[in-house]
Amino acid sequence: MPLPLAARSLRRADVAERDWLDWRWQLRNMLTSADELGAVLELAPEERAGLAASAHLFRVGITPYYASLMDPAHPSCPVRMQAIPAAREGAIRDEELRDPLGEDSHNPAPCVVHKYPDRCLFLVVDRCAIYCRHCNRRRLVGGDDPPTTPEIEAGLAYIARTPRIRDVLISGGDPLLLSTAKLDHLLGRLRAIPHVEIIRIGTRIPVVCPMRVDDELCAALRKHHPLYVNTHFNHPKELTPESRAACARLVDAGIPVGNQAVLLRGVNSSVRTLRALMRELLKARVKPYYLFQGDTVIGTDHLRTPVDAAIELYGKLRGWMTGMGVPHLVIDAPGGGGKLPIVPSYIEELGDEVVKVRTYRGAIVDYPQPRERDCTVPYDDVYFAGVPEDDDREGSAEALEPADA
Ligand SMILES: *Cc1c(COP(=O)(O)O)cnc(C)c1O
């Protein structure tokens, strides 16, 4: 039986160190209500109203660790804004969608989203250690409909019979909420499929429950190389000693760690914040990979940044800081067209003889084109002798064809 709310404080100072460092304790004690949050900070009226409305919007859940990063004095705290619903979540526009990325129409097998030719998502769990207010999969996540074992088996069977899938992204929900034994088993099953070249895990665990990244987990993960982890830091404030240590344990296990941030209005939509975020990530040996323009998902309009502002922000990263720290700024096309880069134009004029390029400081410079234009690689015929061309059909094309075709 949980203690009555009033008697339970989830403030770090009041919790035994052994409990605090236990990831299962963190998950068992997630803060989910205005009463619990009100016990650790002063809620603003906008937050109180958002929490009251959240029951019919999208579930609330915050680990005590992540809540401990909240600035109790400022509702504009980036951690609060990502975790505590605002009343504006309920101001839904017609343009906002349940499934903005058309995932439900690229779903050739249970748990599988196959859009691109050679890679797919594998959604194996419906729970998270934080329910981000900008979540684009809120239709699937945090509900009472977790993927079943037969569904996961059917997903594995699809991947096994689709040889053009080279790259499986395990996501959810948060895959690192599976027990280590289950995750190990699942990774082993994927590794047993000969055409699966790399496996990626998408997880926010290093950010919101870094104690989950323990030696046992790292020992299990490192058996399944080449394995990549992409995590989701949105603000430099999230790079605490604990979260840095979690990233270090992953990297030390030989796992390249990338970051997929979401550009969130008023949370990280400033040049200073983005530069600091990217620099702190590099210091933690995490490579900034994507910076997403917000998807048009229900209840998130107030967190989206205008595209023109996003492009301007990007222009203040490229060249001004190391390219290692500059992620791809992308829109994931509504309807399922996939991710596309949005960049300021660095080409002023594209001629056959000269290209006029724009430097990061705005100067226009001539780049002379080469004399020869034939780009054939003669050695391709030798190196790829007998190798079939890539199968570039859109993902899930197999599912649209009769089984005996
Ligand atoms: C993002 C995404 C991927 C992976 O894209 P990359 O550009 O390879 O990181 C794959 N499938 C789906 C459906 C996606 O949304």
Side-chain angles (χ1 to χ4, degrees), residues 103 113 115-116 119-121 169 200 289-290 332 339:
E103 293 186 333
V113 178
K115 253 186 220 177
Y116 295 105
R119 55 207 189 278
C120 70
L121 299 179
L169 279 78
R200 292 190 260 176
Y289 177 40
Y290 278 132
D332 214 338
K339 299 175 184 70

Side-chain angles (χ1 to χ4, degrees), residues 289-308:
Y289 177 40
Y290 278 132
L291 175 61
F292 289 108
Q293 178 64 23
D295 296 323
T296 57
V297 70
I298 281 176
T300 61
D301 197 72
H302 61 293
L303 291 171
R304 288 198 295 134
T305 307
V307 174
D308 41 311

Side-chain angles (χ1 to χ4, degrees), residues 101 103 106 112-116 118-122 136-137 167-169 198 200 230 260 289-290 292 328 330 332 336 338-339:
L101 306 183
E103 293 186 333
H106 292 80
V112 173
V113 178
H114 189 189
K115 253 186 220 177
Y116 295 105
D118 64 342
R119 55 207 189 278
C120 70
L121 299 179
F122 192 23
N136 67 3
R137 224 169 264 144
D167 172 1
V168 177
L169 279 78
I198 66 171
R200 292 190 260 176
N230 279 321
Q260 307 198 153
Y289 177 40
Y290 278 132
F292 289 108
H328 307 284
V330 294
D332 214 338
K339 299 175 184 70

Side-chain angles (χ1 to χ4, degrees), residues 49-263:
L51 286 161
S54 65
H56 53 269
L57 292 171
F58 178 47
R59 153 172 206 176
V60 173
I62 307 163
T63 56
Y65 162 80
Y66 197 59
S68 76
L69 309 186
M70 292 177 177
D71 185 331
H74 294 281
S76 63
C77 164
V79 174
R80 285 170 73 158
M81 288 180 70
Q82 291 181 68
I84 304 178
R88 286 173 294 174
E89 251 183 58
I92 293 162
R93 290 174 57 187
D94 290 348
E95 291 80 359
E96 293 181 283
L97 302 169
R98 265 186 88 249
D99 177 24
L101 306 183
E103 293 186 333
D104 294 345
S105 55
H106 292 80
N107 181 216
C111 310
V112 173
V113 178
H114 189 189
K115 253 186 220 177
Y116 295 105
D118 64 342
R119 55 207 189 278
C120 70
L121 299 179
F122 192 23
L123 309 178
V124 297
V125 56
D126 76 337
R127 284 170 309 127
C128 285
I130 171 85
Y131 293 97
C132 303
R133 300 335 290 174
H134 52 281
C135 179
N136 67 3
R137 224 169 264 144
R138 54 174 65 198
R139 73 189 187 285
L140 299 180
V141 162
D144 341 277
D145 194 16
T148 62
T149 304
E151 285 171 336
I152 290 175
E153 287 299 324
L156 282 166
Y158 174 81
I159 294 166
R161 70 170 182 266
T162 310
R164 64 196 180 117
I165 297 178
R166 305 168 187 275
D167 172 1
V168 177
L169 279 78
I170 307 178
S171 185
D174 199 312
L176 295 191
L177 289 192
L178 293 176
S179 70
T180 302
K182 272 199 183 139
L183 191 61
D184 190 13
H185 174 79
L186 189 67
L187 289 166
R189 296 285 303 280
L190 286 169
R191 265 283 153 256
I193 301 172
H195 55 264
V196 173
E197 295 172 2
I198 66 171
I199 300 174
R200 292 190 260 176
I201 292 177
T203 175
R204 218 175 173 196
I205 282 287
V207 186
V208 299
C209 191
M211 42 293 277
R212 167 66 181 112
V213 186
D214 52 18
D215 291 343
E216 184 200 49
L217 177 70
C218 292
L221 295 179
R222 73 182 309 157
K223 293 192 297 184
H224 303 283
H225 279 312
L227 176 79
Y228 290 71
V229 164
N230 279 321
T231 188
H232 177 179
F233 287 93
N234 284 331
H235 194 279
K237 196 172 194 239
E238 296 167 333
L239 283 136
T240 63
E242 293 92 333
S243 66
R244 287 170 202 273
C247 295
R249 286 191 289 273
L250 291 169
V251 177
D252 287 345
I255 302 166
V257 179
N259 191 65
Q260 307 198 153
V262 181
L263 184 57

